[in-house]
Amino acid sequence: MVASTSRKSLKKIRDTTNYYPHQITGVRDLARRTSFLLADEMGLGKSLQAMTVAAIDFEQGWARRVAVVCPATLKGNWDDEVEMFTNFTRMILDGKTPAILEIQLAEFADEGIDILILNYEQVKIHLETLNALNFDIVIFDEAHMLKSPKTQRTKACLQFKANRKFLLTGSPLLNQVNELWTLLNMIEPAEFPNFWRFVNRYAVYGGFKDKQIIGVKNAAELTERLQHVMVRRLKKDVLDLPDKQYITIRVDLHPEQKKLYDQVVNEMRIDMPDNPNPMEVENALTKFLRLKQICGTTATIEGYEDFSFKLDVAVEKVHEITGGLQEPVVIFTQFRGVQEALRKRLEKHGVKTHVLNGDTKMGDRQPMVKKWASEKNSVLVAMLQVAGVGLNMTAANKGIFVDKLFVPKLNEQAEDRFHRIGADKTRPVQIIELIA
């Protein structure tokens, strides 16, 4: 399926911007709704659809100010997309102190800028000033971050005033049905006014003392109500993307890994080098975490050197991909110790390596990904918690997972960094999973 150019010209959209058929259909549908939840699967171009609906409002004279609220890691990505697809003027709210941020907000108002890009944490701090700016549209990107009505972030965003609210997320429901309520309340507060009424209507309780949500009831009714506020399409239904190929590689534990692993399993402790006091493993959750770390590398335990058959295989695969195929590759892990051990191993072998984690400055993340993408045989070693959303990694068609997060949807989000619009459909996307 190819991008289409059959659209009415809009002053705020660049003439060079092309749309896929599902995006045109989405814009036509969403433009007729006041507020909405755009829940297209990741990689289908939700931001472009939202900006186009905003451009229609500008064209009609119904809007003059838009706020884009997103995770701090994605502000640069939004800046790039606004520049690539539109003629909107924009400002990133990025001052280092509250006083400087207030000056930036005053400049935004005085200079008549179209779009303000800010992160969720800034909404709470500057809510009063933001509401005084009278935004016509607020776009909440990665809106599943608002799933809990109890957090300060959600409470602030619920009070952010605008005539229209566009909520974008590829994962409207990560775990349980109660996570939908906040999103629906933001869109249709009169239709979904009360959290507990919603939960009692649609959640099935069970588990410990029947106080845990274990399923959904009245599902047909909920689906029908969602159709009035939500648009959701899947990649397999609307795009001709490359297939996903899952390649599982099973490895043994290195003898040093096995020794630590067995000690945790049998003794609930780890002997520490040069320290007579062992590290105690207090409970089952800590035990499971330590075992996952050890399966990555012994270097995740303080004082131990890096021994890992899993990382041996990871480096072999990197050489195969970057050396033989001359392609970039991305490696995902949830552990800093694994990431650091991989970085040292790859650099020792002369492989161009970029490391993306929580210490990477917000403004440096998007440029880092661009630099990695421009180098045909380089490696991006990324923390799942940081790189799982927003960033475009379609330069690669091979991703290596050294380990995975508990929630399957979060791992899928990481996969979809390179299985999305822009991926080369002639090359299958390969997900290589290393399991000890």
Side-chain angles (χ1 to χ4, degrees):
M1 188 177 293
V2 296
S4 170
T5 58
S6 59
R7 63 177 175 83
K8 180 182 177 181
S9 178
L10 295 168
K11 293 177 184 177
K12 291 296 183 179
I13 300 295
R14 291 186 181 274
D15 292 336
T16 54
T17 297
N18 295 325
Y19 294 80
Y20 286 81
H22 76 272
Q23 293 174 321
I24 295 173
T25 302
V27 168
R28 288 172 178 167
D29 185 340
L30 299 170
R32 293 193 293 265
R33 305 176 188 234
T34 301
S35 297
F36 55 77
L37 172 59
L38 178 54
D40 283 350
E41 193 175 10
M42 287 163 289
L44 292 182
K46 292 185 289 292
S47 57
L48 176 56
Q49 293 175 72
M51 288 188 288
T52 305
V53 175
I56 292 171
D57 277 16
F58 272 73
E59 194 87 8
Q60 298 291 339
W62 299 335
R64 62 188 183 92
R65 282 182 183 161
V66 177
V68 173
V69 183
C70 62
T73 55
L74 301 186
K75 290 198 289 189
N77 189 67
W78 267 95
D79 186 55
D80 285 348
E81 296 218 345
V82 174
E83 168 69 22
M84 184 186 308
F85 297 123
T86 80
N87 296 313
F88 284 119
T89 55
R90 77 275 185 199
M91 171 188 284
I92 297 180
L93 194 63
D94 62 356
K96 302 302 181 186
T97 66
I100 294 175
L101 289 170
E102 288 290 333
I103 293 172
Q104 284 187 321
L105 288 170
E107 290 176 354
F108 173 80
D110 292 341
E111 296 178 14
I113 298 171
D114 299 328
I115 295 180
L116 179 69
I117 302 171
L118 67 159
N119 55 271
Y120 280 101
E121 290 70 25
Q122 292 169 332
V123 174
K124 177 189 173 184
I125 300 170
H126 302 283
L127 181 61
E128 185 176 343
T129 303
L130 291 167
N131 281 336
L133 289 171
N134 297 314
F135 283 97
D136 302 289
I137 298 169
V138 177
I139 300 172
F140 294 100
D141 191 23
E142 304 296 342
H144 55 270
M145 295 181 67
L146 303 173
K147 65 183 181 180
S148 172
K150 296 181 180 180
T151 65
Q152 293 299 312
R153 171 201 297 152
T154 299
K155 290 176 180 178
C157 289
L158 284 168
Q159 297 175 63
F160 197 159
K161 297 175 182 177
N163 297 328
R164 303 182 76 182
K165 294 182 178 181
F166 304 168
L167 279 64
L168 316 182
T169 174
S171 306
L173 194 154
L174 284 174
N175 292 300
Q176 300 166 337
V177 69
N178 60 311
E179 296 172 355
L180 283 172
W181 179 80
T182 304
L183 309 185
L184 299 177
N185 176 260
M186 294 182 77
I187 298 166
E188 288 284 1
E191 178 74 10
F192 302 93
N194 183 274
F195 174 76
W196 289 113
R197 188 186 306 169
F198 179 86
V199 170
N200 289 332
R201 181 66 181 167
Y202 298 114
V204 176
Y205 282 89
F208 182 68
K209 294 185 177 180
D210 287 333
K211 291 185 177 181
Q212 296 172 309
I213 295 175
I214 60 172
V216 181
K217 63 184 178 182
N218 300 315
E221 176 187 300
L222 178 59
T223 299
E224 195 275 332
R225 294 181 76 182
L226 286 173
Q227 289 175 350
H228 295 292
V229 297
M230 181 176 78
V231 171
R232 178 167 173 80
R233 282 79 56 88
L234 304 179
K235 287 184 294 188
K236 66 182 179 64
D237 297 327
V238 297
L239 280 187
D240 183 16
L241 283 177
D243 294 332
K244 276 187 184 179
Q245 296 179 349
Y246 289 90
I247 301 171
T248 299
I249 300 177
R250 299 186 181 276
V251 301
D252 292 328
L253 292 174
H254 186 282
E256 293 296 323
Q257 289 176 287
K258 182 100 171 43
K259 183 169 67 176
L260 287 179
Y261 192 99
D262 289 344
Q263 189 174 29
V264 172
V265 169
N266 298 322
E267 303 175 33
M268 294 289 283
R269 66 183 180 87
I270 300 174
D271 291 332
M272 303 301 292
D274 304 319
N275 189 332
N277 300 314
M279 177 193 296
E280 299 294 338
V281 179
E282 298 87 357
N283 52 52
L285 186 61
T286 304
K287 175 182 177 181
F288 188 72
L289 177 67
R290 295 290 178 236
L291 294 177
K292 284 186 73 177
Q293 290 177 313
I294 292 166
C295 284
T297 170
T298 52
T300 54
I301 307 300
E302 185 178 356
Y304 281 90
E305 295 181 30
D306 172 26
F307 294 100
S308 172
F309 284 162
K310 185 182 279 190
L311 296 194
D312 290 345
V313 173
V315 173
E316 289 174 9
K317 287 297 171 186
V318 165
H319 280 302
E320 182 181 314
I321 297 166
T322 62
L325 301 176
Q326 293 289 298
E327 296 176 358
V329 62
V330 57
I331 303 178
F332 292 108
T333 178
Q334 63 182 298
F335 298 118
R336 283 288 189 96
V338 172
Q339 185 184 53
E340 180 61 14
L342 266 171
R343 182 193 66 79
K344 290 179 178 178
R345 285 173 176 243
L346 293 169
E347 291 184 351
K348 182 179 179 180
H349 286 80
V351 178
K352 296 178 184 177
T353 306
H354 302 275
V355 172
L356 182 59
N357 56 39
D359 290 339
T360 310
K361 293 180 180 178
M362 301 298 181
D364 294 340
R365 295 180 183 183
Q366 189 70 14
M368 176 186 291
V369 172
K370 285 184 176 179
K371 188 172 190 302
W372 159 77
S374 68
E375 299 168 347
K376 289 186 177 181
N377 55 350
S378 65
V379 178
L380 178 65
V381 186
M383 295 290 289
L384 279 160
Q385 300 90 324
V386 173
V389 295
L391 299 171
N392 188 327
M393 301 177 182
T394 53
N397 75 315
K398 294 178 178 62
I400 300 173
F401 283 79
V402 178
D403 48 74
K404 287 193 168 185
L405 296 168
F406 291 117
V407 181
K409 203 68 181 176
L410 298 178
N411 298 314
E412 289 178 25
Q413 287 179 353
E415 294 173 11
D416 287 337
R417 293 309 94 218
F418 49 98
H419 190 251
R420 58 193 295 114
I421 288 175
D424 185 348
K425 66 181 182 181
T426 65
R427 302 187 304 161
V429 164
Q430 294 184 337
I431 312 297
I432 302 170
E433 301 175 321
L434 305 181
I435 298 179

